[in-house]
Amino acid sequence: MAAASFVLTEDQFLCSICLDVFTDPVSTPCGHNFCKNCITEHWDVNAKYLCPNCKEVFIKRPELKVNTFIKEMAAQFRQSAQQKSSSSSSERQVSKPGEVPCDVCTGTKLKALKSCLVCLASYCETHLEPHVTMSGLKKHQLIDPVENLEDRMCEKHDKLLELFCKNDQRCVCMMCTVLDHKNHSVVPLKDEYEGKKTELGKMKAEMNQMIQTRRLKIEELRHSVELSDQNADREIAEGVQVFSALIETVQRNLNRLIDSVKEKQRKTKNQAEGFIRELEQEISELEKRSTKVEQLSNSEDHLQLLQNFMSLNAAPPTKDWTEVRVHPPSYERTVRRAVKQLEETISEQMKKLIGELELKRVQQYEVDVTLDSDTANPWLILSDDGKQVYHSDKKNFPDSSGRFYNLCVLSKQSFSSGRFYYEVQVKGKTKWDLGVVRKSINRKEKIELSPQNGFWVIWLRNENVYRACASPPVCLSLKSCPEKVGVFVDYEEGLVSFYDVDAAALIYSFTGCSFTEKLYPYFCPCKNNRGKNSAPLIISPVSQT
């Protein structure tokens, strides 16, 4: 009769509590098996004596005895599994192409774990054991496995290359120092290795910094292109709005405007893309160089590091990108140039349209401005919300170092970059001063209002006499008296412009200004003149139409 064959699986020898191969297996009255410690601890924790598998409850705690048959079977299974694991591990250690094989193995060559610079041989895990256990071999220098250990011998003296000549920048043996390199500066390979490794670390840090700098520059250039695109899109849209209602002649002007804007846009984008390509090429070169540096930095092979170090001396990209910029072009003059080319019969209409667009553009930079009572002249009255100011016949504030001698007040807000815009209602007034001033102006004396003294201001006198306080002063000829004045400042551009909001017309612009300090909005309601000029200056919210 033929013997029955069967295969035992791991599941048959696993305890359902610890999920590991049985240790001292015992059987419960219901026929299920567990590790003795597992079922004992399970019953110690739970008040009921029940089987974890079938949930059968036992009236009293069963007496447990080790099932010797199952214990022996589990032990055999564990041994078999360990042998399979060991066999599988050996298979994985077989040397593969590109790996250093063990020099001692016969037949199938296993993968070497270390190479010995004294024995000039490479060893697998088994044959490396004497170097770990024997006192005489423990002193040998072990490194990560390498091929061609004979290259570590001096070709002239057949001695181990263990020194480095600083004069000739090459690895030498002990005999070389006595003969060919006598009186040269010679150090152990390890000392020179440590020095070069430190240099490699610095080189890698420099490479990473250069790469990061160039990546940031790419982002900056791309942002510049985005700004250029936004400006171009806005100008084109506004140009379409201006010219779409005009006759065929105006349409031809619009087409020329769009072509001009797109040409500037294309040039800006091409310039940025050229810079980006150059930066990406430099990054590619630096990344290749960084990879090589990193490989050498991670090497524990003294000779390989020193012999390959000289190949890194080629200078990396050193172009200074700090001052490289792509400046989005200004399209405003393009629009104005196109407008001026229109026929005389529609010039007034075009001026009004342009004025509305320009005002709408600067109104986008609206800021919330409130008056600073600490700077107000004592004879001024400020509203509770800090939005209104007018002259009073009685003193309202005590004297202090920050207050003005003149009838004026500054805003709480200051600006040292970018663009900002606010509007002030001047309706019903016969005199006023408005503008911006620098932080360091003289507050304690009567002083001429001029850019040289830190004032960029326009004023009204005698109900209809307007003047820009420039050097020399400029008389302003306005078609109508503004009831609301808009003030716009471009700090970087050095521009301060004033607008008649209701007429959407430019009143005056200070150009070419050089700002180096914080700027404060400036308000002077002037004396009430027995009630003729009692209306307040009112900071108004911007209402775009």
Side-chain angles (χ1 to χ4, degrees):
M1 182 177 180
S5 61
F6 61 92
V7 178
L8 297 176
T9 65
E10 183 178 7
D11 293 340
Q12 295 172 285
F13 296 100
L14 294 183
C15 171
S16 60
I17 297 178
C18 66
L19 301 179
D20 202 352
V21 179
F22 288 124
T23 301
D24 294 332
V26 296
S27 300
T28 60
C30 59
H32 293 110
N33 301 309
F34 307 93
C35 296
K36 185 175 182 181
N37 287 341
C38 293
I39 191 64
T40 300
E41 292 178 2
H42 180 74
W43 284 341
D44 289 343
V45 173
N46 296 279
K48 294 182 179 181
Y49 304 130
L50 55 80
C51 174
N53 284 358
C54 66
K55 309 302 180 183
E56 180 178 347
V57 180
F58 310 113
I59 298 175
K60 62 179 182 178
R61 185 166 183 157
E63 294 183 7
L64 301 175
K65 294 184 179 181
V66 176
N67 189 323
T68 56
F69 174 76
I70 297 178
K71 180 178 180 179
E72 291 175 358
M73 293 293 289
Q76 292 178 10
F77 179 85
R78 184 182 288 108
Q79 182 178 3
S80 175
Q82 290 176 348
Q83 289 175 350
K84 290 181 180 180
S85 176
S86 176
S87 174
S88 175
S89 176
S90 297
E91 290 178 1
R92 288 195 300 269
Q93 292 179 356
V94 174
S95 176
K96 300 177 182 177
E99 296 179 338
V100 178
C102 175
D103 292 327
V104 182
C105 288
T106 58
T108 302
K109 294 282 189 179
L110 298 185
K111 175 184 176 181
L113 295 183
K114 293 289 182 180
S115 295
C116 178
L117 294 180
V118 179
C119 303
L120 295 179
S122 300
Y123 302 101
C124 65
E125 182 178 7
T126 301
H127 295 118
L128 182 65
E129 186 175 356
H131 280 75
V132 179
T133 58
M134 296 178 65
S135 59
L137 296 178
K138 283 183 179 181
K139 298 179 181 179
H140 289 193
Q141 185 178 358
L142 299 176
I143 63 172
D144 288 337
V146 295
E147 295 181 320
N148 304 322
L149 286 169
E150 60 274 8
D151 292 343
R152 298 175 177 274
M153 303 296 291
C154 178
E155 296 179 355
K156 189 171 184 180
H157 305 110
D158 199 27
K159 298 291 183 181
L160 184 65
L161 296 171
E162 54 185 341
L163 301 171
F164 185 81
C165 176
K166 287 182 171 291
N167 296 65
D168 296 334
Q169 290 291 299
R170 59 177 297 184
C171 300
V172 297
C173 68
M174 289 296 295
M175 290 296 295
C176 291
T177 62
V178 178
L179 300 174
D180 301 337
H181 298 265
K182 186 177 180 180
N183 298 325
H184 286 189
S185 176
V186 178
V187 296
L189 282 183
K190 184 177 180 181
D191 293 350
E192 187 65 17
Y193 165 86
E194 294 296 337
K196 288 295 189 287
K197 198 164 186 178
T198 300
E199 288 186 41
L200 288 171
K202 293 180 180 179
M203 290 174 65
K204 180 172 176 57
E206 291 175 359
M207 300 299 171
N208 290 339
Q209 182 61 41
M210 294 172 72
I211 291 172
Q212 182 63 20
T213 300
R214 282 155 176 75
R215 284 178 174 160
L216 291 174
K217 180 57 67 174
I218 287 178
E219 291 302 315
E220 178 186 335
L221 294 173
R222 285 176 175 161
H223 182 62
S224 298
V225 173
E226 290 176 2
L227 291 178
S228 174
D229 290 344
Q230 292 171 7
N231 292 344
D233 291 342
R234 182 179 65 249
E235 293 297 329
I236 291 173
E238 291 177 354
V240 170
Q241 179 182 349
V242 170
F243 289 97
S244 60
L246 303 178
I247 59 176
E248 188 176 3
T249 302
V250 177
Q251 185 62 52
R252 289 196 295 268
N253 280 269
L254 173 60
N255 292 337
R256 287 196 293 269
L257 167 66
I258 294 175
D259 291 341
S260 177
V261 171
K262 287 188 174 180
E263 177 63 19
K264 288 185 178 181
Q265 179 188 8
R266 184 188 63 79
K267 289 181 179 178
T268 300
K269 189 174 295 187
N270 289 344
Q271 183 186 25
E273 289 174 351
F275 288 149
I276 290 173
R277 284 194 298 271
E278 189 174 353
L279 281 164
E280 287 176 339
Q281 183 177 356
E282 288 193 11
I283 288 175
S284 177
E285 295 175 5
L286 288 168
E287 286 177 337
K288 291 178 182 178
R289 186 178 179 86
S290 178
T291 300
K292 189 171 182 181
V293 168
E294 183 174 6
Q295 290 174 349
L296 285 180
S297 297
N298 294 332
S299 173
E300 295 182 4
D301 184 342
H302 302 173
L303 181 62
Q304 183 189 26
L305 186 146
L306 296 172
Q307 288 180 337
N308 288 282
F309 181 83
M310 300 306 293
S311 65
L312 297 176
N313 287 340
T318 57
K319 180 174 180 177
D320 184 5
W321 288 90
T322 305
E323 300 301 323
V324 176
R325 296 286 189 278
V326 172
H327 299 284
S330 173
Y331 300 94
E332 183 177 353
R333 294 181 180 178
T334 306
V335 175
R336 289 186 175 180
R337 188 182 304 115
V339 171
K340 289 180 180 179
Q341 293 173 357
L342 295 179
E343 299 177 2
E344 189 67 26
T345 56
I346 59 172
S347 61
E348 290 300 322
Q349 178 187 2
M350 294 299 297
K351 288 179 182 178
K352 181 171 178 59
L353 289 172
I354 290 299
E356 291 174 351
L357 292 173
E358 186 174 343
L359 181 60
K360 184 177 180 181
R361 184 183 298 119
V362 299
Q363 284 178 331
Q364 298 177 39
Y365 301 100
E366 176 191 6
V367 293
D368 185 18
V369 174
T370 54
L371 302 172
D372 185 0
S373 60
D374 292 337
T375 65
N377 177 276
W379 297 91
L380 295 180
I381 292 181
L382 275 60
S383 62
D384 293 338
D385 62 0
K387 297 294 185 180
Q388 301 186 29
V389 58
Y390 60 91
H391 174 241
S392 172
D393 292 329
K394 64 178 182 177
K395 200 171 186 179
N396 297 284
F397 296 109
D399 292 330
S400 68
S401 59
R403 297 196 185 283
F404 277 94
Y405 169 81
N406 291 331
L407 286 174
C408 57
V409 61
L410 301 183
S411 70
K412 293 181 179 179
Q413 295 75 21
S414 63
F415 305 90
S416 57
S417 64
R419 302 167 180 171
F420 62 94
Y421 174 85
Y422 59 96
E423 293 180 353
V424 183
Q425 180 178 308
V426 296
K427 182 179 179 181
K429 297 192 66 62
T430 60
K431 296 176 63 176
W432 50 258
D433 301 351
L434 288 176
V436 294
V437 299
R438 65 183 177 215
K439 181 179 180 180
S440 62
I441 58 172
N442 188 337
R443 303 186 185 189
K444 294 304 180 183
E445 297 179 7
K446 188 173 182 179
I447 189 170
E448 179 187 0
L449 304 184
S450 68
Q452 287 76 11
N453 292 329
F455 294 81
W456 292 268
V457 173
I458 64 172
W459 56 240
L460 166 67
R461 298 291 184 268
N462 301 326
E463 296 188 29
N464 59 4
V465 178
Y466 295 90
R467 176 176 293 181
C469 299
S471 295
V474 177
C475 292
L476 304 175
S477 178
L478 306 183
K479 292 184 177 181
S480 60
C481 295
E483 294 187 351
K484 186 180 291 185
V485 176
V487 183
F488 172 71
V489 177
D490 187 329
Y491 194 97
E492 284 74 21
E493 189 71 20
L495 174 69
V496 181
S497 295
F498 299 87
Y499 295 88
D500 180 341
V501 176
D502 296 325
L506 176 67
I507 297 174
Y508 183 79
S509 288
F510 291 91
T511 59
C513 309
S514 179
F515 302 130
T516 58
E517 301 180 26
K518 290 182 178 179
L519 297 180
Y520 289 82
Y522 170 88
F523 307 84
C524 176
C526 298
K527 291 184 178 181
N528 59 31
N529 195 17
R530 299 180 181 181
K532 295 181 180 180
N533 190 41
S534 60
L537 291 177
I538 303 174
I539 301 172
S540 306
V542 174
S543 177
Q544 295 190 21
T545 57

